[in-house]
Amino acid sequence: MKKDNALILVEGIADITFLRDYLKHLNPNFEEIYDKKKNKLELKLKHDDFQAILIQSTNGYTNIKSKKTTIMKYIDASYKILVIQDTDDRSKNDGGLENRNKYLTELKKELNIDFETFLFPNNCDDGDLETLLLKIVEPTNFQQINTCFLKFISSEEELNFGYTKELNDDKGIIFNYFRAHKGMLNSKEEHRVYESCFWDFKNCNLNNLNTFL
């Protein structure tokens, strides 16, 4: 990883906590400074003040334009600007790889600001952060938990409480994986810690993100 300063703009807190732990995997010397109130994460190399990586939430790709003043501030300070957002699927506004890239390209022109873009899950396919997470789970730990969870979902469907779809979407599955190992509190996006015993940070599905960073 080059020693460049960077501002990374992501969609939300789930992206912040994941990127924090992935970046610390790539370089264990990163020191963490976290300001929950500002929803901002700053990573610095220990004993080296040259590199700083700040990760900030935009609360959605459509709010990037509201960050123009912040972006200009960091451009003036010689920071690289990286935009990491979800691709989503074509059912959502500007969803799908081509549409989301088109939106962000037009946004660059509108704001007259240059930034580099990466779209979850892999900058090639439709999906989001959770799509990527389900590809990099540690198989044994995940299968043990998910087998039981699928039985629970099946029972819930029979009881007809109405939450089957919510439980069975990617966010619900990821939440349950955390909850089974870490409890309810640590399953919330702002409290999550991605550990190598539960997540495969060497998985080939991370290769494109690794190259981008």
Side-chain angles (χ1 to χ4, degrees), residues 6-17:
L7 170 67
I8 304 178
L9 298 175
V10 298
E11 291 203 10
I13 189 67
D15 308 277
I16 290 176
T17 51

Side-chain angles (χ1 to χ4, degrees), residues 84-203:
I84 300 180
Q85 304 279 308
D86 290 336
T87 305
D88 289 326
D89 58 57
R90 292 181 180 270
S91 67
K92 297 186 178 182
N93 292 336
D94 302 304
L97 187 70
E98 183 178 351
N99 292 332
R100 190 57 51 83
N101 270 323
K102 180 181 178 182
Y103 175 90
L104 293 171
T105 298
E106 291 176 350
L107 184 63
K108 288 183 189 181
K109 295 178 182 177
E110 177 185 342
L111 300 180
N112 194 28
I113 290 174
D114 189 35
F115 53 77
E116 298 178 35
T117 303
F118 183 93
L119 297 176
F120 284 133
N122 56 12
N123 220 29
C124 297
D125 300 315
D126 293 354
D128 49 28
L129 172 63
E130 286 73 25
T131 306
L132 174 61
L133 293 179
L134 285 174
K135 291 180 180 295
I136 65 167
V137 290
E138 196 288 316
T140 303
N141 278 321
F142 178 73
Q143 290 303 330
Q144 290 175 341
I145 296 303
N146 205 47
T147 297
C148 295
F149 187 52
L150 291 176
K151 291 179 182 177
F152 168 71
I153 293 174
S154 178
S155 298
E156 195 280 337
E157 187 174 18
E158 291 178 12
L159 292 169
N160 199 28
F161 288 142
Y163 297 106
T164 301
K165 184 177 179 180
E166 179 181 338
L167 292 169
N168 203 32
D169 70 9
D170 290 352
K171 287 182 182 292
I173 293 171
I174 294 298
F175 180 86
N176 182 69
Y177 184 48
F178 268 102
R179 181 176 58 180
H181 289 291
K182 298 295 182 179
M184 184 66 76
L185 179 63
N186 294 322
S187 303
K188 295 180 179 180
E189 294 176 345
E190 63 268 29
H191 298 307
R192 290 179 181 176
V193 176
Y194 291 81
E195 299 173 286
S196 58
C197 54
F198 299 115
W199 306 91
D200 179 11
F201 282 139
K202 296 181 180 179
N203 192 292

